[in-house]
Amino acid sequence: MIAVGLLSGGLDSTMAAKMMIDQGFTVHAVNFVSPFCTCTPKSAGCSAVVTAVKQLGGIHLERIVLGDEYLEMVKAPKHGHGRGLNPCIDCRIMKLRRAGEYMKSVGGEFLFTGEVLGQRPMSQHRRALEIIEDESGFKGYVLRPLSAQFLEPTLPELKGIVDRNKLLDIAGRSRKVQLSYAVENDITEYQCAGGGCLLTDSTFAGRLKEYLAITEKPSRNDMPLLRIGRHIALDNGEKAVVARTEEEGEKLIRIFSNKGTLLLPLEFSGPIVYLTGSDIQRGIQLLVSYTNRDIPDNARILVKDGLKEYEVARAQWPEPSVRPAPVES
């Protein structure tokens, strides 16, 4: 029999999967690829999941990409946001719904998660768990093995498919039971104990909120730009993004793709600047103001403006200005 579980790569979801395997189920793990995961910068999803799958004996892993519909949900969640822009309840509903669709496609018996009653204030109190299950469309088929003894029996328990006596009674934020279980079952690598969601970060949440307010059709392809650099509002309503490191500069080059304007220093070491518009003079001022080394007389700045590309010699640069306070540092 197949059981389908949400696997984040963290200890709780790995532990829940191991418990189902020990009860004799063939476990299919579902992992959601989100632009807001902080566990890894890779777009292919959380690398910790790969490790978890190996530790679970090589179970089947199904990746599900959360697309633009996820951004629309983040913009206006039915059940509201947390302290940042995190729509935790609506997020869980969407994930369970998608996982449930996959479960039906493979003939699975039920869904399970690594959720722990009382561990997270917004989405894991008793009423939130009930709402999430009800609105997912899979009421009665969502098993939470780690806290099952505190929750109403699910249909697979009532049918005797799952042995309820082998399920646990963990509640609250203490992780003593989980850590002990990990040692006993040779689960030595796991990540994302704090959740790993960028939407809880106040700086990123501010950037995303502004983006959603002015963007009619949000796209997950725009998210990488919000994750990097100093974001500075310009007088004309556009925005400049100043790279803080060489790695961020390389990311801006990859993001550019003929959309907006890119400024690159030549013959001197300075930050790469990305403009959402085409205020070249202001962009050059910012590039120079964030350059910490002497600039030689033969310095140039390469401008990539859409499909156009040209150089601006130092003699043509505007007078440098005082470094502005970034919208977000």
Side-chain angles (χ1 to χ4, degrees), residues 34-45:
S34 164
F36 307 124
C37 178
T38 61
C39 303
T40 173
K42 298 179 181 178
S43 60

Side-chain angles (χ1 to χ4, degrees), residues 166-306:
K166 294 181 179 179
L167 304 180
L168 302 180
D169 59 352
I170 305 174
R173 306 192 72 172
S174 172
R175 299 183 59 77
K176 290 182 180 179
V177 176
Q178 293 96 313
L179 293 173
S180 176
Y181 184 93
V183 172
E184 293 171 2
N185 290 273
D186 295 322
I187 301 174
T188 58
E189 297 181 58
Y190 41 86
Q191 296 180 19
C192 300
C197 180
L198 196 57
L199 293 172
T200 61
D201 179 84
S202 59
T203 296
F204 180 83
R207 295 178 183 179
L208 181 59
K209 186 175 182 180
E210 178 187 10
Y211 167 84
L212 293 174
I214 63 176
T215 306
E216 184 177 350
K217 293 183 178 180
S219 171
R220 71 189 310 273
N221 295 330
D222 294 334
M223 296 302 102
L225 183 62
L226 301 183
R227 299 182 67 151
I228 60 175
R230 298 180 177 89
H231 287 231
I232 300 169
L234 305 183
D235 293 338
N236 61 2
E238 297 170 354
K239 181 178 284 189
V241 180
V242 182
R244 293 169 295 192
T245 64
E246 184 176 345
E247 181 183 8
E248 286 191 345
E250 292 172 354
K251 289 181 180 178
L252 286 178
I253 292 174
R254 292 197 296 270
I255 289 169
F256 168 60
S257 186
N258 298 327
K259 182 180 179 180
T261 305
L262 197 67
L263 307 180
L264 301 93
L266 301 177
E267 312 297 345
F268 70 103
S269 179
I272 291 175
V273 175
Y274 176 90
L275 303 172
T276 59
S278 57
D279 190 346
I280 309 299
Q281 295 296 296
R282 186 69 181 112
I284 291 175
Q285 283 186 317
L286 289 172
L287 193 158
V288 173
S289 67
Y290 280 98
T291 297
N292 295 319
R293 299 180 181 180
D294 292 337
I295 300 176
D297 293 336
N298 65 339
R300 294 162 292 137
I301 291 176
L302 176 63
V303 178
K304 294 186 176 183
D305 185 2

Side-chain angles (χ1 to χ4, degrees), residues 12 113-121 123-130 144-152 168-174 178:
D12 292 348
T113 79
E115 292 167 298
V116 172
L117 181 66
Q119 188 177 85
R120 295 183 186 171
S123 63
Q124 292 183 6
H125 56 83
R126 190 178 297 274
R127 180 56 184 148
L129 294 179
E130 292 172 352
R144 284 129 174 156
L146 277 63
S147 295
Q149 297 292 346
F150 287 125
L151 304 172
E152 291 296 315
L168 302 180
D169 59 352
I170 305 174
R173 306 192 72 172
S174 172
Q178 293 96 313

